[in-house]
Amino acid sequence: MQEERFAEAAELYRRLATSYPGEPSLQANLGMALHLSGQDDDAVLPLRSATSAMPSSFPAHFFLGASYSRLGNLAEAVEPLRQAVRLNPEHPFARALLGDALEAIGEYSEAGDTWKNLRQQDSANPFPHAGLVRCYEQLASEAITALQETDPESEQMLRLLAYTRLAARQFPSALYLFREAMARGPARRSDHEALAALYEQAGRPDWAQVERTRAASLPEEDCSDSESPGCAFRAGRFDAIVPVSANASSEELYWAARAYAGLSDDAFSSLRRLPESTDQLTLVADLLAARSEFSEAAASARAALAIRPQDGGLERQMAELLYLARRSAEARPLLEKFHRTDKGDPRWAAMLGNLLAEEQDFGSAIPLLESALAGPNPPQSARLDLGRSYLAIDKPEKALEHLRAAASLDTDGSVHYQLAQAYQRTGMRDQAREALTKYQALQTRVSQETRAAAALEITAP
């Protein structure tokens, strides 16, 4: 074991455990050796036996949880990892594995506490910062969902949506939602301050000043003797607001959602302030990609690759992010490279085929898209691209198969329109009429949504 010849050690421990079946420490050592030699399937049984016989053994619980984690059985990993952390609270890897497992099973509150404790132990480690971002985002989403289910038309729900639109710089709809919320409840100083920020970002400082004046005319909440959610939020004491009870009111859910969002933003800021490393930059890229900020995520992945230029995983991450950011000129040579080297991965053929189809190079796109669909778990988007490509080169029979399969991806009617064309060209007139009817219905809905959005304007206070 000391020489890291784990497979040989496992065989010796297996023989010893057979000779001395009543000795649980041998079962623990056998399980450890099997785990460390990559034989996790075989490690579970002796480790489970060891944890039952020795409930105070940190190694037995830790390696059992680690084996379950590596096998992808994260629900089973939670309890032995919980016990390992109880037995050795200072062990950072046990906490990290527990945080990952709890996130995987949706226990975001406990996972957040786990990451918070790990961050306190090692504030320079980027992983707990990133874990907190993910957990707080999920908890904010849960609070919003709970409010949506219990009180969807409340001023609190409208106000939450308004802040979401403001963060996305969707100023007209944010303005509309703030005004709707203000019409349903008493005036809030914070609403006028939010409107002032909205007008400022929209390039109307004159209107922003009007809202600031209105905010100043309203009394501030007295925070001298109470710790109300509003007072705690303004002071940045988000932890004082969350968590909420199962029967929380609309107001409590509103503040919980905003507090968790604030905690997530704080954790993300602390992650980005850490010294740059491949781990820190990769985690930042992952979080930005989860927010669909693909171009900035690609820049973070590129910075990580500059630190470790021979890392193929980082280069692959950057290639995919550049593709998602639609930076085709930068993405294409990388996609071509990994299509050549990663023969069993259909992603590269699908992405490269999509770029070529958009450039109307259908002769080159079609073989790539066909190869993507021939692989395991093919991307559904490749089927749509292939159907459109076959239709473009006037092969409607081949297009039909793929357009039918991709019809569920249609959001604006374009797929059903092309499906109608394919049916028409193959003489299937009844099916063509049906596809056109669906196309028209989707187009009508999109047109109504577009008109409703266009009707919203940034108007004066």
Side-chain angles (χ1 to χ4, degrees), residues 107-189:
E107 294 289 344
Y108 299 112
S109 183
E110 187 182 350
D113 290 339
T114 301
W115 291 122
K116 190 189 301 181
N117 285 327
L118 184 55
R119 186 174 66 172
Q120 289 170 350
Q121 288 178 17
D122 184 5
S123 60
N125 182 350
F127 287 96
H129 295 267
L132 283 171
V133 175
R134 295 190 300 268
C135 289
Y136 289 140
E137 283 182 347
Q138 290 293 335
L139 289 166
S141 179
E142 287 179 0
I144 293 170
T145 299
L147 180 54
Q148 219 161 12
E149 290 173 351
T150 58
D151 205 356
E153 300 298 323
S154 64
E155 60 170 298
Q156 291 88 353
M157 189 70 243
L158 291 168
R159 195 172 278 110
L160 272 181
L161 290 173
Y163 278 110
T164 301
R165 302 288 170 79
L166 179 57
R169 299 182 66 81
Q170 298 174 13
F171 301 130
S173 57
L175 179 61
Y176 169 79
L177 289 164
F178 272 123
R179 286 177 174 166
E180 284 292 300
M182 293 164 74
R184 301 188 186 198
R188 297 193 187 203
R189 188 183 181 113

Side-chain angles (χ1 to χ4, degrees), residues 119-374:
R119 186 174 66 172
Q120 289 170 350
Q121 288 178 17
D122 184 5
S123 60
N125 182 350
F127 287 96
H129 295 267
L132 283 171
V133 175
R134 295 190 300 268
C135 289
Y136 289 140
E137 283 182 347
Q138 290 293 335
L139 289 166
S141 179
E142 287 179 0
I144 293 170
T145 299
L147 180 54
Q148 219 161 12
E149 290 173 351
T150 58
D151 205 356
E153 300 298 323
S154 64
E155 60 170 298
Q156 291 88 353
M157 189 70 243
L158 291 168
R159 195 172 278 110
L160 272 181
L161 290 173
Y163 278 110
T164 301
R165 302 288 170 79
L166 179 57
R169 299 182 66 81
Q170 298 174 13
F171 301 130
S173 57
L175 179 61
Y176 169 79
L177 289 164
F178 272 123
R179 286 177 174 166
E180 284 292 300
M182 293 164 74
R184 301 188 186 198
R188 297 193 187 203
R189 188 183 181 113
S190 58
D191 288 337
H192 293 288
E193 291 169 344
L195 287 176
L198 184 155
Y199 283 131
E200 196 74 52
Q201 292 180 60
R204 292 307 306 254
D206 51 337
W207 293 351
Q209 187 55 48
V210 173
E211 291 296 345
R212 288 195 191 94
T213 302
R214 289 177 178 174
S217 69
L218 294 171
E220 287 194 33
E221 186 176 353
D222 183 9
C223 298
S224 57
D225 298 322
S226 67
E227 186 66 6
S228 71
C231 292
F233 187 86
R234 281 195 295 276
R237 294 192 297 274
F238 304 130
D239 280 326
I241 302 172
V242 294
V244 295
S245 61
N247 58 346
S249 66
S250 297
E251 187 75 1
E252 289 171 325
L253 289 169
Y254 166 78
W255 285 114
R258 294 205 63 194
Y260 280 127
L263 287 166
S264 178
D265 288 342
D266 285 352
F268 199 11
S269 297
S270 67
L271 171 63
R272 301 191 81 164
R273 286 195 299 269
L274 293 177
E276 286 192 353
S277 66
T278 51
D279 286 338
Q280 184 259 0
L281 289 163
T282 302
L283 289 167
V284 167
D286 289 340
L287 293 169
L288 289 169
R291 299 177 178 188
S292 297
E293 297 176 27
F294 299 119
S295 193
E296 194 177 349
S300 189
R302 190 188 297 279
L305 190 60
I307 296 173
R308 206 158 62 200
Q310 303 304 316
D311 191 316
L314 289 176
E315 194 174 16
R316 286 168 176 78
Q317 180 190 34
M318 186 179 71
E320 190 163 2
L321 289 169
L322 287 169
Y323 165 78
L324 291 169
R326 311 315 291 170
R327 289 161 61 175
S328 304
E330 298 170 82
R332 182 167 173 173
L334 291 170
L335 299 180
E336 290 172 343
K337 172 184 175 180
F338 295 125
H339 174 57
R340 289 192 302 270
T341 59
D342 300 358
K343 298 296 185 183
D345 192 336
R347 292 179 304 153
W348 309 113
M351 287 186 277
L352 189 54
N354 171 260
L355 291 185
L356 291 168
E358 287 189 350
E359 295 171 4
Q360 299 189 355
D361 184 0
F362 302 113
S364 301
I366 285 172
L368 287 164
L369 295 167
E370 289 281 15
S371 69
L373 292 175

